Amino acid sequence: MAIQRPKGTQDLLPGTVEQWQYLEETIRKVCRDYGYEEIRTPIFEATELFQRGVGQTTDIVKKEMYTFLDKGDRSMTLRPEGTASVCRAYVEDKLYGQSQPVKLYYSGPMFRYERPQSGRFRQFHQFGVEVLGADQPIVDAEVICLVWDLYQRLGLKGLEVHLNSVGCPTCRAAHREQLQRFLTTRKSELCQDCQERYERNPLRILDCKNPNCQAVTEGAPTTLDTLCDDCRSHFEKVLSLLSGAGVAYRVDPRLVRGLDYYTKTAFEVMVEEIGAQSAICGGGRYDGLVEEIGGPATPGIGFAMGLERVLAALQVQGKFPDPKSKLFAMLIALGDKAQNEGFAIMNALRGKGVPVGMDLLGRSLKAQLKAANREGAEFALILGEEELERQVLLLRDLNSGEQTEVPLSKAIEVIYMKHQRGV
Ligand code: ATP
Ligand code: MG
């Protein structure tokens, strides 16, 4: 039996990989334009980092982590997300000692043991951004604008930014009390998970996907109802900055990130057309996280974007540029001696940055010309025994069919100049 790739993983083959490269290049360009620098952290970390940094009560930590003991009996986990690692690095590598804020981005594979389905994989890829050391609402707006701008540059349509404020620990305490009071008589109608949440973290009941729980919480008090003055003015400022920047957002009071270190702004970007898994980006402020993992009290905000889902949206909407990388010329050498000479010419041209190809299968002239056309080459460079004797190279323009002779000694220069001029 042939060995198969693990469930929930993908081989990214030529044809699709160009789409990934295009997406990744666009991401890097946007990050550079906004002054964000790349950070690369390990793909596995001490399990405790995620238990503390993502939270013991989350689905990720409770059900979805790839955890193993290494040969030294240390519990390690393949990273399920990027924020915890970036915050760990911020503390461990003392980035808080540099000028603030620190604006970072990452892009790479993440691992979650989930039920594979459309838009949901066990190895998937996230691009994310984290800004550490700045608590002003203008930072929240900048981060959301970066996401919005990236989608505009990619040409994505049908997007909506959902936005909420979950407040700070102070105003959340008031919300918790009001929410528990609202649910007190209907507690038994909630799902098992939510009955536990009722005591430990009632806010997350608002986030439950169970339709029954959603019905029970219809009309429940939201965090927006109990925001303190500071959180309210922060939220209003974010909204006014986003309006000014032309971002299409919708305030969604049910959007929550339920852990204590998530504060104030929470957001998600949804796209139509890619099916049930329509969230392509999720983020928010986490002013308590760096302290939670043992660092100095530091405000932070960031997001993570699922690249498989962004790619799915781009595919559905047909937004990719022509992925085919074209050869400029195909060198067609016939005979052993011509092959030696041709091989040297091809290498010299490649060394000058001209994309040139050559037959690798010993095919006939006719088959090689066909291949040149298939590769989209502008020119065929033909070198047979007879040309070699006369020390010339035939230069055939594959668009017009026109054919000229170039002295072999000048061939590299002539072809290089044509490539430079784009003809
Ligand atoms: P979901 O509700 O889809 O499970 P989540 O709350 O687990 O999302 P986050 O942890 O906030 O998602 O991750 C941010 C983004 O990463 C998501 O919006 C989504 O685009 C993507 N993502 C999350 N899990 C997966 C997965 N298993 N496969 C593919 N993409 C994923
Ligand atoms: Mg999930």
Side-chain angles (χ1 to χ4, degrees):
M1 254 263 276
I3 298 170
Q4 297 184 322
R5 61 174 179 267
K7 219 170 138 183
T9 66
Q10 289 178 288
D11 296 316
L12 302 175
L13 304 177
T16 305
V17 115
E18 291 79 1
Q19 299 182 340
W20 280 86
Q21 290 171 343
Y22 163 70
L23 177 57
E24 287 159 356
E25 279 157 20
T26 311
I27 284 169
R28 286 180 197 288
K29 176 77 171 75
V30 173
C31 287
R32 264 200 304 280
D33 292 350
Y34 281 67
Y36 287 68
E37 293 176 302
E38 186 179 1
I39 182 168
R40 300 188 187 192
T41 60
I43 274 173
F44 65 96
E45 298 264 8
T47 301
E48 192 193 348
L49 175 67
F50 302 116
Q51 289 169 338
R52 275 159 63 181
V54 180
Q56 295 276 14
T57 62
T58 57
D59 281 355
I60 292 180
V61 172
K62 281 202 329 214
K63 307 176 197 160
E64 298 172 1
M65 294 207 299
Y66 275 93
T67 298
F68 59 96
L69 284 182
D70 72 7
K71 291 188 195 301
D73 271 345
R74 288 168 288 252
S75 180
M76 295 289 160
T77 294
L78 297 185
R79 63 180 187 194
E81 56 104 64
T83 306
S85 302
V86 173
C87 290
R88 180 203 44 71
Y90 180 82
V91 176
E92 187 169 355
D93 303 316
K94 300 193 174 53
L95 302 184
Y96 51 80
Q98 304 181 352
S99 83
Q100 304 291 298
V102 174
K103 306 206 304 182
L104 301 168
Y105 78 92
Y106 60 84
S107 180
M110 304 293 163
F111 307 86
R112 297 186 193 176
Y113 196 81
E114 301 203 68
R115 193 169 66 76
Q117 53 194 289
S118 156
R120 205 175 277 295
F121 302 90
R122 290 185 174 170
Q123 175 173 338
F124 62 102
H125 297 78
Q126 283 184 339
F127 152 58
V129 147
E130 316 289 351
V131 184
L132 291 151
D135 62 1
Q136 298 292 305
I138 192 168
V139 185
D140 308 33
E142 174 177 285
V143 163
I144 295 169
C145 283
L146 188 156
V147 175
W148 185 254
D149 189 2
L150 171 64
Y151 294 149
Q152 299 306 304
R153 293 191 200 193
L154 292 168
L156 276 182
K157 298 273 182 285
L159 299 176
E160 205 172 45
V161 180
H162 293 201
L163 205 61
N164 193 20
S165 174
V166 295
C168 62
T170 319
C171 46
R172 273 245 285 281
H175 176 256
R176 181 192 167 94
E177 212 182 286
Q178 287 192 14
L179 183 60
Q180 280 175 329
R181 199 173 320 132
F182 177 89
L183 291 171
T184 182
T185 56
R186 302 185 65 185
K187 199 178 139 189
S188 58
E189 294 170 52
L190 296 169
C191 73
Q192 200 53 48
D193 278 352
C194 282
Q195 298 204 12
E196 275 169 42
R197 288 176 184 141
Y198 182 87
E199 301 301 339
R200 294 173 71 166
N201 197 345
L203 179 59
R204 288 198 46 225
I205 300 175
L206 297 180
D207 194 29
C208 185
K209 304 283 188 292
N210 183 319
N212 212 27
C213 297
Q214 287 181 351
V216 173
T217 53
E218 180 87 38
T222 69
T223 48
L224 287 184
D225 299 330
T226 52
L227 288 186
C228 65
D229 289 347
D230 176 43
C231 287
R232 179 166 305 284
S233 71
H234 184 104
F235 192 49
E236 278 165 6
K237 176 78 178 181
V238 174
L239 297 186
S240 76
L241 288 167
L242 291 180
S243 300
V247 175
Y249 67 81
R250 189 160 72 81
V251 174
D252 175 2
R254 294 189 68 104
L255 174 66
V256 300
R257 320 204 94 207
L259 298 170
D260 283 350
Y261 39 77
Y262 286 120
T263 51
K264 297 180 177 162
T265 311
F267 68 97
E268 216 163 47
V269 183
M270 320 295 274
V271 65
E272 302 159 357
E273 303 176 310
I274 59 165
Q277 317 309 332
S278 59
I280 51 175
C281 178
R285 189 164 267 292
Y286 47 82
D287 289 347
L289 179 54
V290 174
E291 209 174 359
E292 172 68 30
I293 62 166
T298 307
I301 178 166
F303 65 77
M305 188 180 291
L307 297 187
E308 281 78 4
R309 295 187 194 171
V310 174
L311 228 32
L314 288 169
Q315 282 160 356
V316 172
Q317 298 186 11
K319 296 295 183 188
F320 287 108
D322 183 4
K324 194 140 175 57
S325 57
K326 288 210 266 177
L327 278 185
F328 182 68
M330 185 70 101
L331 207 140
I332 299 177
L334 301 160
D336 197 43
K337 275 197 204 138
Q339 191 182 51
N340 285 3
E341 188 73 25
F343 189 71
I345 293 173
M346 174 180 77
N347 277 305
L349 284 167
R350 283 179 170 175
K352 287 169 160 293
V354 185
V356 185
M358 198 169 166
D359 175 60
L360 302 174
L361 295 170
R363 286 179 290 198
S364 69
L365 171 65
K366 198 173 147 216
Q368 290 194 46
L369 274 171
K370 222 167 123 187
N373 278 309
R374 199 177 48 237
E375 297 292 331
E378 305 286 328
F379 293 98
L381 314 176
I382 304 167
L383 189 62
E385 304 276 319
E386 195 246 340
E387 285 78 23
L388 200 53
E389 215 138 276
R390 294 196 290 120
Q391 288 288 296
V392 294
L393 184 76
L394 296 183
L395 193 68
R396 186 185 295 182
D397 183 326
L398 291 172
N399 298 311
S400 66
E402 202 180 309
Q403 191 161 292
T404 49
E405 279 187 9
V406 187
L408 258 192
S409 59
K410 296 243 169 64
I412 292 167
E413 185 59 21
V414 168
I415 295 153
Y416 173 71
M417 289 313 293
K418 281 186 181 294
H419 181 253
Q420 286 293 90
R421 289 198 305 267
V423 285

